[in-house]
Amino acid sequence: MAASYCYNRRMAFTNFETKEINCKILYLGPSGAGKSSNLRAIFNQTSPEVKAGLLELSEDGVGQSVFFEFLPVSLGFIRNYHLKLHLYTIPSQTLYETVRSVIMKGVDGFVFVADSAPEKLASNVEELQLVRKILSEEGLVHSDMPSVIQYNKRDMPGAVPVEVLRSELNPSRHVDFEASAKHGMGVLESLQEISAQVIRRLAG
Ligand SMILES: Nc1nc2c(ncn2[C@@H]2O[C@H](COP(=O)(O)OP(=O)(O)OP(=O)(O)O)[C@@H](O)[C@H]2O)c(=O)[nH]1
Ligand SMILES: [Mg+2]
């Protein structure tokens, strides 16, 4: 039987039979930075037609993510094709390196969620370096990919100034946003931007 789907880095995963274009977007960042809170805020803020359902594979549905979380979001139709975003979070523990490398496969773009707490500055930097290392193992380079850097927990007293976070984490000036995922702020902006970048890549 002839293959009815196609995957390459420019086209995401296109299934010609079901007329779907599936884009995979990862929410990455150090432990506790607010990756799950982003997905939860998207789930809460989008309309029932857009959200398909949040699959949380954590021990008890709250707290530290044990495995991964998955939220499919429909972006509507482009020339008869259903454009779907698949949002994933992965916990940062190295224990799940195998899971992480499987989920990394075929990534179209990512949102790096940084924690604005001063004591998390070093883990943000380390985690971003790790993300770049894993991407390079997949033959990918951060600067060539759709990406957003999100400075989360801006509501916290004592949050590291954005200029400091920017100089530590984003000297190349990828698109970045301030956010407070817990309060749903900056979350949809980050999602819209990463979606727009992925769509531009598909169209280009
Ligand atoms: N003050 C504040 N707290 C936040 C914000 N975002 C997340 N949190 C809190 O930070 C804690 C961790 O948030 P999660 O969303 O579970 O973080 P995570 O990145 O998914 O963590 P792991 O899955 O363990 O890697 C929770 O208690 C959240 O309520 C924020 O914007 N402001
Ligand atoms: Mg989590």
Side-chain angles (χ1 to χ4, degrees):
M1 204 174 105
S4 59
Y5 57 86
C6 158
Y7 173 76
N8 67 37
R9 299 222 191 293
R10 296 277 303 277
M11 277 190 77
F13 185 90
T14 306
N15 186 325
F16 296 108
E17 236 162 47
T18 57
K19 290 195 177 295
E20 279 177 2
I21 300 173
N22 297 288
C23 302
K24 187 175 197 174
I25 296 175
L26 304 184
Y27 279 70
L28 303 169
S31 183
K35 304 176 294 290
S36 301
S37 300
N38 265 267
L39 259 62
R40 222 161 283 134
I42 294 164
F43 185 76
N44 291 336
Q45 289 182 44
T46 50
S47 64
E49 307 84 62
V50 171
K51 65 188 176 195
L54 176 61
L55 175 67
E56 291 187 279
L57 294 180
S58 52
E59 237 161 5
D60 52 5
V62 290
Q64 204 171 52
S65 306
V66 174
F67 206 54
F68 69 92
E69 287 144 316
F70 169 60
L71 177 64
V73 174
S74 164
L75 283 192
F77 288 81
I78 298 182
R79 293 197 188 156
N80 267 346
Y81 275 77
H82 193 180
L83 187 55
K84 284 184 178 169
L85 296 182
H86 298 267
L87 312 180
Y88 288 86
T89 66
I90 326 176
S92 43
Q93 303 95 311
T94 44
L95 182 62
Y96 295 95
E97 245 168 47
T98 321
V99 174
R100 194 201 287 240
S101 68
V102 169
I103 291 182
M104 279 280 189
K105 290 252 176 303
V107 56
D108 290 297
F110 67 92
V111 176
F112 184 83
V113 183
D115 194 322
S116 298
E119 65 275 17
K120 291 295 177 67
L121 193 53
S123 15
N124 288 324
V125 174
E126 278 164 27
E127 188 69 18
L128 188 55
Q129 279 165 355
L130 181 61
V131 165
R132 289 188 175 132
K133 178 173 165 280
I134 295 166
L135 289 174
S136 76
E137 285 161 9
E138 298 296 316
L140 300 167
V141 180
H142 180 184
S143 52
D144 292 342
M145 291 182 69
S147 72
V148 164
I149 310 277
Q150 183 191 83
Y151 311 117
N152 190 34
K153 303 195 186 177
R154 297 312 302 161
D155 60 288
M156 273 180 45
V160 174
V162 171
E163 306 77 59
V164 175
L165 290 170
R166 197 171 269 146
S167 75
E168 291 288 331
L169 299 170
N170 194 15
S172 316
R173 293 302 185 102
H174 299 285
V175 180
D176 54 12
F177 290 97
E178 294 185 44
S180 175
K182 193 177 177 178
H183 304 102
M185 282 164 46
V187 168
L188 291 186
E189 290 85 344
S190 303
L191 177 64
Q192 275 159 6
E193 172 60 28
I194 192 68
S195 313
Q197 288 184 33
V198 167
I199 290 167
R200 272 203 297 278
R201 173 66 64 94
L202 285 171

